Amino acid sequence: MASRDPVDDLRRIAFYLERANEATYRVRAFRSAAAAIAKLPAEELAERAEAGTLAKLPGVGEVTARCIAESLAGEEPVYLRRVRSTEGTSLPAAAAALRDALRGDCHAHSDWSDGGSPIEEMALAAVELGHEYLVLTDHSPRLTVANGLSPARLRKQLDRVAELNDALPEGFRVLTGIEVDIRDDGSLDQENELLARLDVVVGSVHSKLRDESPRMTRRMLAAIANPHLDILGHMTGRKVAAAGEGDKGHRGGRTRPPSTFELDKVIEAVLEHGKAIEINSRPDRLDPPKRMLTVAVEAGCLFSIDTDAHAPGQLDWLGNGCERAALCGVPAERVVNTWSMERLLEWTAGHK
Ligand SMILES: [Zn+2]
Ligand SMILES: [Zn+2]
């Protein structure tokens, strides 16, 4: 039997685990093993499989060694077959049509902030999903718990993205961006000069989520009016109990109610400034709630259906957002990531 590509198989296992919302540390073994053997000559790998010494390689353990050996023998690794069965059920027709219309994702994190994987791995997963672009939106300085990027690190990241884009397949691009923290006074947590350089700016509230409505409303209105902001991220900050969320101990333990603000005023500002409301696809966020989404649809808002992925497999969560968008009657032409990349960039540039 012809041998399979063990690097590919290990990455595929990681992808399925991430998509099933497994904790990053549980997935890391597979991504590390893939990276470790990608550098080795094929002959050495074959010899080690024969001699049973794969697990002696740094970064390879017993489980990953077995996967590699099976793969080299031309069999689908048992582990892969098992995790592949988590493959989602197919989407209802309207949601599937919306998913097909999406050309990219405007909210994703890499290991430069609190994501689990390098930019390149996120990009390759996006290519595989058929995206034309992925907007890299790592956190801003104030979010120290999420390893937010200082101005200097963001400048460095912009150089890295430019380099990477030269090496990535034709027809795909990593777009530059940020998930900038909306400060207490509604200002944005990054230098204006840098925000102006970025392709897409997602702005989100991450602190004082329990502020009373007038204060939260003022804060959000100021951020929406800021010419640098393009997309309002996870607008209520709520956390819901996600099905299949990693460890049992987490289940139901970290929920958070939506923050309170005057929805009509926020929607009015979004319309006035031509911004978009994010439909966040994370199973633990699903933000905004359907009742708010419906109001925003009726008001005529623009939307962006994003994953907020922190690992490559999570980039496949777009279906969650599409399902909710379809239920609430979001028209495809009002979803900015169904537009061509040129039109998307024209739209964001128009805000500056
Ligand atoms: Zn966020
Ligand atoms: Zn995020």
Side-chain angles (χ1 to χ4, degrees), residues 260-281:
T260 55
F261 51 85
E262 285 182 68
L263 182 62
D264 290 347
K265 286 193 178 160
V266 167
I267 286 176
E268 203 177 296
V270 165
L271 288 170
E272 182 191 338
H273 298 284
K275 306 298 170 72
I277 293 174
E278 176 184 76
I279 299 174
N280 190 298
S281 304

Side-chain angles (χ1 to χ4, degrees), residues 117-171:
S117 290
I119 303 168
E120 188 175 6
E121 278 185 33
M122 295 297 286
L124 290 174
V127 170
E128 218 161 288
L129 285 170
H131 289 2
E132 290 170 24
Y133 60 87
L134 175 68
V135 185
L136 180 64
T137 57
D138 278 313
H139 288 288
S140 65
R142 210 178 75 147
L143 236 61
T144 48
V145 288
N147 197 20
L149 272 61
S150 64
R153 283 181 69 220
L154 181 53
R155 285 196 176 87
K156 215 184 264 181
Q157 186 181 65
L158 296 181
D159 293 340
R160 174 72 192 119
V161 169
E163 243 173 56
L164 192 58
N165 273 329
D166 287 336
L168 285 167
E170 194 85 32

